[in-house]
Amino acid sequence: NATRIPDAHFAWEARYNGAKIVCISPDYNCSAIHSDQYLRINPGTDTVLALAACRHLLENNLFDAAYVKEQTDMPLLIRTDTQRFLRGEDMGFKAEKADAIFYVWDSQSNSPRPIPGSMGSSSATLKLNGITPALRGRWKVTLKDGTECEVTTVMELLSVTLSNSLYTVDGASERCGIPRKDIEVFM
């Protein structure tokens, strides 16, 4: 409410409608004084706490899968050999911006499909129009030169990163200096 004054009303409107405001900061500041709960975190460890929260959300399936599939990069395919997005130019897609066409694994057709709404796409909408992106898995695709390449999703790679014991509630509690019971409350 001090550094983003034009946006502060969104938080206060949410609070008026029943939301609880939690301030996570190394110092008790002007935002903390107006929050419902203040958690003092060790400086520089907020990423650990955020990734522990992310792990909790994924492990407990506490996310809107339809929203994640349509509105985020979580279903986009990553080449495991280069750690880069699978692009239209990799697949031999003929378009002016083939390098800006991204792919998802379509669960219905069991094949890679260009995702609508990416920069090189002719579709100006994010609506999936019958594509059912997979959020997890590993597959083989054939590239334009005829070679095979393994691909996976952004969510799958995130899950691998989050498997580090640092990103558990206990790991975050120890590193961030916040008691486990306080972390569990806000998750």
Side-chain angles (χ1 to χ4, degrees):
N1 64 321
T3 60
R4 294 292 307 159
I5 294 171
D7 297 328
H9 71 95
F10 293 116
W12 307 130
E13 287 168 18
R15 188 177 196 191
Y16 179 79
N17 289 312
K20 298 294 181 195
I21 305 294
V22 178
C23 178
I24 302 168
S25 176
D27 62 330
Y28 193 73
N29 55 43
C30 52
S31 292
I33 62 174
H34 297 292
S35 65
D36 296 299
Q37 183 177 5
Y38 166 67
L39 300 177
R40 194 200 75 62
I41 190 169
N42 291 337
T45 63
D46 50 334
T47 304
V48 173
L49 183 61
L51 290 173
C54 186
R55 178 176 175 162
H56 176 78
L57 293 173
L58 291 180
E59 285 180 346
N60 294 288
N61 213 24
L62 298 172
F63 60 93
D64 181 347
Y67 176 86
V68 169
K69 289 176 181 181
E70 184 181 82
Q71 299 291 322
T72 74
D73 66 354
M74 291 292 150
L76 295 184
L77 294 178
I78 302 288
R79 294 178 54 164
T80 59
D81 60 344
T82 62
Q83 297 297 304
R84 293 176 46 91
F85 287 114
L86 180 66
R87 298 169 183 263
E89 65 185 3
D90 298 329
M91 302 295 286
F93 198 93
K94 304 290 185 210
E96 184 178 327
K97 295 182 179 180
D99 64 323
I101 295 173
F102 301 102
Y103 283 76
V104 295
W105 190 265
D106 182 25
S107 299
Q108 296 298 321
S109 66
N110 202 31
S111 64
R113 299 269 308 267
I115 190 78
S118 56
M119 294 287 289
S121 173
S122 60
S123 175
T125 181
L126 294 176
K127 291 185 179 173
L128 297 172
N129 299 324
I131 298 173
T132 307
L135 289 173
R136 296 177 187 259
R138 290 182 179 269
W139 307 272
K140 296 275 189 192
V141 297
T142 303
L143 303 176
K144 70 179 176 186
D145 64 4
T147 61
E148 278 196 343
C149 174
E150 185 180 62
V151 294
T152 190
T153 64
V154 171
M155 182 176 273
E156 188 73 30
L157 290 178
L158 176 63
S159 296
V160 169
T161 299
L162 296 176
S163 67
N164 184 319
S165 63
L166 180 62
Y167 307 129
T168 62
V169 174
D170 288 330
S173 174
E174 182 179 324
R175 180 78 174 97
C176 299
I178 299 173
R180 177 187 172 91
K181 64 178 179 50
D182 290 341
I183 293 175
E184 289 173 335
V185 167
F186 96 87
M187 283 189 186

